[in-house]
Amino acid sequence: MCGINGIYGLSDRFKQESIIRTMNKCLAHRGPDDEGFFSDDKIVLGHKRLSIIDLSNAGHQPMFSNDKRYCIIHNGEIYNFKEIRNQIKDYIFKTQSDTEVILASYTKWGSECVKYFNGMFAFAVWDNMKRELFIARDRFGIKPLYYYGKNDLLLFSSEIRSLLSSGIVLKKVDENSLIDYLRYQTVHASKTILKEVFMLMPGHSMTVKENQVSIECYWKPEAAIENSDSYLQICKSVNELLTASVERRLVADVPFGAFLSGGIDSSSIVGLMSKVSTQKVKTFSVVFDEKKFSESEFSKFIAKKYNTDHHEIKLNVSDFVNELPNALNAMDHPSGDGPNTYVVSKATKNAGITMALSGLGGDELFAGYDIFKRSLKLKNSSIRKISQPIRMAAGNFLHSVKKDSGSKKLSKILAGEKMSFNEFYPLSRQVLMDDVIEKITSKSHLPENIVSTIISAFDVNENEFLLSKVSIAEISSYMENVLLRDTDQMSMAHALEVRVPFLDYELVKYVLSVPDKFKNPVTPKKLLVDSLDNLLPPKIVNRKKMGFTLPWTHWMKNELQSMCEQNLLSLSRRKYFHEKELQKLWARFLSGDKEITWSRIWHLVVLEHWLSKNEIDD
């Protein structure tokens, strides 16, 4: 796990070397163990290293091939690097690192090498003979890769802040991305909040040669043809694939552990770790003095069951509030989520752990969110047969009675032309509705909904694979653009590597091929629980889903009120916002308006904090 930087096409070599050193300084938190540079007439590369595999100096980057033709910088881990290494007989390896395996793979297979890798990665290879740059990102975008390209110049980095430090990138907000952020508390790749900064999409690669840039997709999470296996065989295969995934992710030359909340996902990972690991597993849980916010009963239960070396990170709500400024300052891209990951990552790192496993991805893959049940319910609902005007009237009446955010969303769903999944899903994750956004931005016409665009591209048979379509939608929107981005920036703020076994692409591909009849979540994550035999006790399976629940509404009306008001006032004075309407929104929240919950305000507070801290102009 590291940080990478690169500049291609800058003619002044002295200037590009100076800039790359400045960019590297911005990534110091990502790689405290080592630093390296490479420069040539056309290219300059920078690297900050967090040593996980092969801790020796032999793992130094940039790393060169034996004939010095290729140079690589790499952020991430290739879990199957030993298997790949055994396939490459004509390369003399000098290290035990996965980075050298990427280099050897590129030497052998060129751009096709990415199809062999099972891992999380963002890397760049410079071919000194062809004068060609190749950049690739892993299938789910677990590792970030941002870039700026203009006038035959390309800059790329693990973080936006590093690009901004170059002095080359324009600090301007992209208007369409701003609307995307207001809708979904994030900006969906390939866009970012900035006008000229983009992300390389997950499962994509980029080739740059003679100032020509080409981007190709090498993988996307589409449901395969129907799986003909029996339910018994499906459960057996899921067990084998997930166990293998956990085992792969335990390869490390540093102390490791796992995040443990006591929910189904984290308990599954800890149970499997205990099963395959040769050493006692270290587990970490955030617990609160206030019982209604704490999951300690369940995390302790699992820790005892699997005899882990358990660490409780005890906080009261004021401790969490005190960490918020640090968490906000750690954000590389604005997001409405993330402080919880910051807190647990900090405590885990302080306990001497450099790598931790997480249960992230379990909900998306095994139908753990309510959106899965609602999608099935909508598909089979007779209300879709009722005419649109009647449905619209019923929705408006319901909203007039309940007057909360849920009924407002439902009224918009009922007003849909077909009440199809493609109409329903984009509304399900939307934070601020379009009518509110139009008021606070004084825009009468909003750009196309990005989530609608994303899911319209999915070619999935909804009759048999609707749950797989929901999984792909969750993976391609919320998970990739909120959860994974937040996990990376908040964990790497403390130089902690987080690995996610549920996102092994072989496991994901298999589960997406399982028809709805075997995945229907009649009980919590039925397929996952059944696949793990007796690994998960009923106490964990049947517990109420809690998540990282905190008293945000109370904080924002008390301890955080001053900060919220200052940021919202500053935001309202930016040219994209209507000052009075934004202040009205805040007043509605303070008055207890059920339509304006804390999450519909907080991402606005975060946005202004990020824009101000990074000195972004309107």
Side-chain angles (χ1 to χ4, degrees):
M1 191 76 71
C2 310
I4 63 175
N5 289 308
I7 305 172
Y8 172 92
L10 194 63
S11 58
D12 187 334
R13 187 166 177 176
F14 176 80
K15 184 177 181 181
Q16 69 179 8
E17 289 180 1
S18 174
I19 292 173
I20 207 73
R21 291 182 184 279
T22 300
M23 292 172 68
N24 256 26
K25 286 181 181 179
C26 287
L27 300 184
H29 54 282
R30 297 186 71 96
D33 298 329
D34 193 14
E35 180 177 40
F37 302 94
F38 164 76
S39 66
D40 201 348
D41 292 338
K42 198 77 173 179
I43 188 82
V44 58
L45 303 173
H47 186 264
K48 294 291 292 185
R49 185 186 182 197
L50 174 64
S51 305
I52 301 292
I53 295 173
D54 190 347
L55 309 187
S56 72
N57 291 335
H60 175 81
Q61 297 182 46
M63 183 180 289
F64 299 87
S65 60
N66 292 329
D67 59 3
K68 305 298 181 182
R69 173 177 172 177
Y70 301 102
C71 176
I72 187 174
I73 48 174
H74 168 222
N75 170 31
E77 305 292 344
I78 306 298
Y79 303 122
N80 62 335
F81 76 98
K82 291 183 180 179
E83 298 97 294
I84 297 173
R85 178 174 172 144
N86 290 334
Q87 296 180 49
I88 306 174
K89 304 297 185 182
D90 54 349
Y91 188 94
I92 300 174
F93 289 91
K94 298 178 180 178
T95 77
Q96 299 300 314
S97 72
D98 57 340
T99 300
E100 190 178 20
V101 170
I102 300 176
L103 199 56
S105 299
Y106 188 77
T107 301
K108 184 176 181 65
W109 295 302
S111 62
E112 292 292 302
C113 68
V114 291
K115 297 179 181 179
Y116 292 81
F117 302 150
N118 187 335
M120 53 179 185
F121 55 83
F123 68 84
V125 176
W126 172 247
D127 183 338
N128 190 50
M129 182 180 294
K130 288 186 176 180
R131 314 302 288 170
E132 181 177 279
L133 178 66
F134 178 77
I135 304 172
R137 193 173 178 215
D138 67 71
R139 291 170 178 82
F140 299 103
I142 302 171
K143 292 292 99 189
L145 196 289
Y146 297 93
Y147 68 93
Y148 162 90
K150 193 173 184 181
N151 300 328
D152 297 333
L153 178 66
L154 176 75
L155 278 73
F156 63 90
S157 179
S158 298
E159 294 193 2
I160 287 179
R161 289 173 295 193
S162 177
L163 293 179
L164 293 177
S165 73
S166 69
I168 295 173
V169 177
L170 191 66
K171 294 185 175 184
K172 290 285 186 181
V173 170
D174 182 88
E175 286 194 59
N176 287 350
S177 294
L178 175 64
I179 301 302
D180 191 25
Y181 180 85
L182 297 180
R183 281 171 171 153
Y184 292 106
Q185 69 176 340
T186 190
V187 178
H188 292 83
S190 61
K191 293 289 192 72
T192 72
I193 196 69
L194 298 180
K195 186 170 288 185
E196 296 177 338
V197 176
F198 300 88
M199 293 193 84
L200 184 61
M201 290 288 286
H204 282 65
S205 64
M206 173 191 291
T207 303
V208 187
K209 185 176 182 180
E210 296 179 352
N211 300 322
Q212 297 297 313
V213 178
S214 62
I215 296 177
E216 295 184 2
C217 175
Y218 69 87
W219 192 85
K220 53 185 176 181
E222 288 189 348
I225 58 173
E226 182 176 354
N227 191 317
S228 60
D229 293 344
S230 67
Y231 188 63
L232 186 65
Q233 180 57 49
I234 288 171
C235 289
K236 183 174 183 293
S237 295
V238 169
N239 186 309
E240 290 173 352
L241 287 166
L242 184 55
T243 301
S245 175
V246 169
E247 199 163 15
R248 286 189 193 105
R249 284 157 180 80
L250 293 182
V251 176
D253 296 326
V254 294
F256 61 84
F259 297 150
L260 176 61
S261 68
I264 290 175
D265 298 334
S266 65
S267 299
S268 299
I269 299 303
V270 169
L272 289 172
M273 288 176 72
S274 300
K275 180 180 176 182
V276 302
S277 178
T278 57
Q279 54 186 285
K280 197 170 188 177
V281 175
K282 296 179 184 291
T283 52
F284 298 85
S285 301
V286 172
V287 300
F288 291 94
D289 294 334
E290 296 84 348
K291 190 173 181 180
K292 63 180 179 178
F293 303 128
S294 183
E295 299 180 276
S296 62
E297 173 190 351
F298 304 102
S299 56
K300 281 181 178 178
F301 180 79
I302 289 296
K304 183 177 180 181
K305 177 177 174 63
Y306 291 108
N307 190 31
T308 72
D309 180 7
H310 191 54
H311 302 257
E312 287 194 339
I313 304 161
K314 292 187 177 181
L315 299 173
N316 56 49
V317 289
S318 62
D319 293 330
F320 197 87
V321 170
N322 291 337
E323 282 290 356
L324 269 178
N326 295 327
L328 292 177
N329 289 335
M331 282 190 179
D332 183 53
H333 189 283
S335 169
D337 205 351
N340 51 335
T341 306
Y342 180 91
V343 172
V344 71
S345 295
K346 179 179 180 180
T348 303
K349 184 67 175 184
N350 288 343
I353 299 299
T354 303
M355 183 273 283
L357 270 62
S358 164
L360 192 156
D363 283 319
E364 290 78 7
L365 197 54
F366 291 98
Y369 295 130
D370 286 341
I371 183 67
F372 289 90
K373 291 181 179 179
R374 293 200 300 268
S375 297
L376 285 177
K377 188 175 181 180
L378 177 66
K379 171 189 169 184
N380 301 318
S381 176
S382 58
I383 200 170
R384 297 174 65 186
K385 300 177 182 178
I386 299 174
S387 66
Q388 185 183 19
I390 294 177
R391 285 190 275 108
M392 188 181 299
N396 289 338
F397 174 75
L398 178 65
H399 181 232
S400 68
V401 173
K402 297 194 73 175
K403 295 181 179 178
D404 60 12
S405 57
S407 63
K408 183 173 183 178
K409 277 191 179 182
L410 182 57
S411 70
K412 292 187 177 297
I413 292 167
L414 291 171
E417 183 179 350
K418 299 178 180 178
M419 286 187 65
S420 65
F421 176 79
N422 284 11
E423 291 175 337
F424 161 66
Y425 182 80
L427 286 166
S428 70
R429 280 288 182 191
Q430 196 161 338
V431 179
L432 286 179
M433 294 293 104
D434 284 4
D435 59 329
V436 175
I437 296 173
E438 287 172 355
K439 285 183 180 179
I440 66 174
T441 60
S442 298
K443 281 184 173 292
S444 57
H445 180 70
L446 300 182
E448 187 175 4
N449 188 300
I450 301 300
V451 174
S452 294
T453 303
I454 290 172
I455 66 171
S456 65
F458 301 156
D459 183 18
V460 179
N461 178 2
E462 292 186 23
N463 291 326
E464 298 180 74
F465 294 95
L466 178 60
L467 293 178
S468 291
K469 185 168 184 177
V470 180
S471 287
I472 297 169
E474 287 289 293
I475 288 169
S476 302
S477 56
Y478 181 65
M479 189 193 80
E480 287 180 356
N481 296 283
V482 177
L483 297 181
L484 287 176
R485 186 182 292 175
D486 288 346
T487 296
D488 176 80
Q489 58 189 5
M490 293 304 181
S491 61
M492 290 309 294
H494 306 291
L496 175 73
E497 174 175 304
V498 176
R499 298 181 177 181
V500 280
F502 282 115
L503 297 187
D504 187 292
Y505 83 93
E506 293 178 347
L507 172 67
V508 172
K509 181 180 178 181
Y510 185 83
V511 175
L512 290 180
S513 76
V514 176
D516 291 350
K517 63 182 179 180
F518 293 136
K519 285 197 297 191
N520 193 346
V522 290
T523 57
K525 301 177 195 168
K526 183 178 186 302
L527 175 58
L528 174 60
V529 173
D530 289 352
S531 298
L532 296 179
D533 299 321
N534 297 317
L535 196 72
L536 298 176
K539 179 184 177 74
I540 299 301
V541 174
N542 299 320
R543 60 165 288 197
K544 182 180 178 181
K545 189 175 178 65
M546 185 175 178
F548 208 83
T549 306
L550 293 169
W552 285 99
T553 300
H554 173 81
W555 287 344
M556 291 170 65
K557 291 181 178 181
N558 293 277
E559 293 94 334
L560 299 178
Q561 182 171 346
S562 176
M563 183 193 78
C564 290
E565 287 181 344
Q566 290 174 17
N567 281 340
L568 290 173
L569 180 61
S570 179
L571 184 67
S572 71
R573 290 173 176 168
R574 292 181 181 269
K575 70 177 184 180
Y576 298 121
F577 290 92
H578 188 296
E579 183 173 351
K580 289 184 178 179
E581 290 296 333
L582 189 53
Q583 291 303 314
K584 282 182 184 178
L585 196 69
W586 172 241
R588 288 175 65 187
F589 167 74
L590 291 177
S591 69
D593 189 326
K594 293 181 180 179
E595 271 190 35
I596 311 301
T597 58
W598 72 268
S599 62
R600 287 159 175 80
I601 294 290
W602 178 248
H603 72 309
L604 301 175
V605 176
V606 173
L607 175 63
E608 176 55 31
H609 180 94
W610 190 88
L611 294 174
S612 296
K613 180 175 176 56
N614 291 283
E615 300 177 340
I616 307 300
D617 298 328
D618 289 342

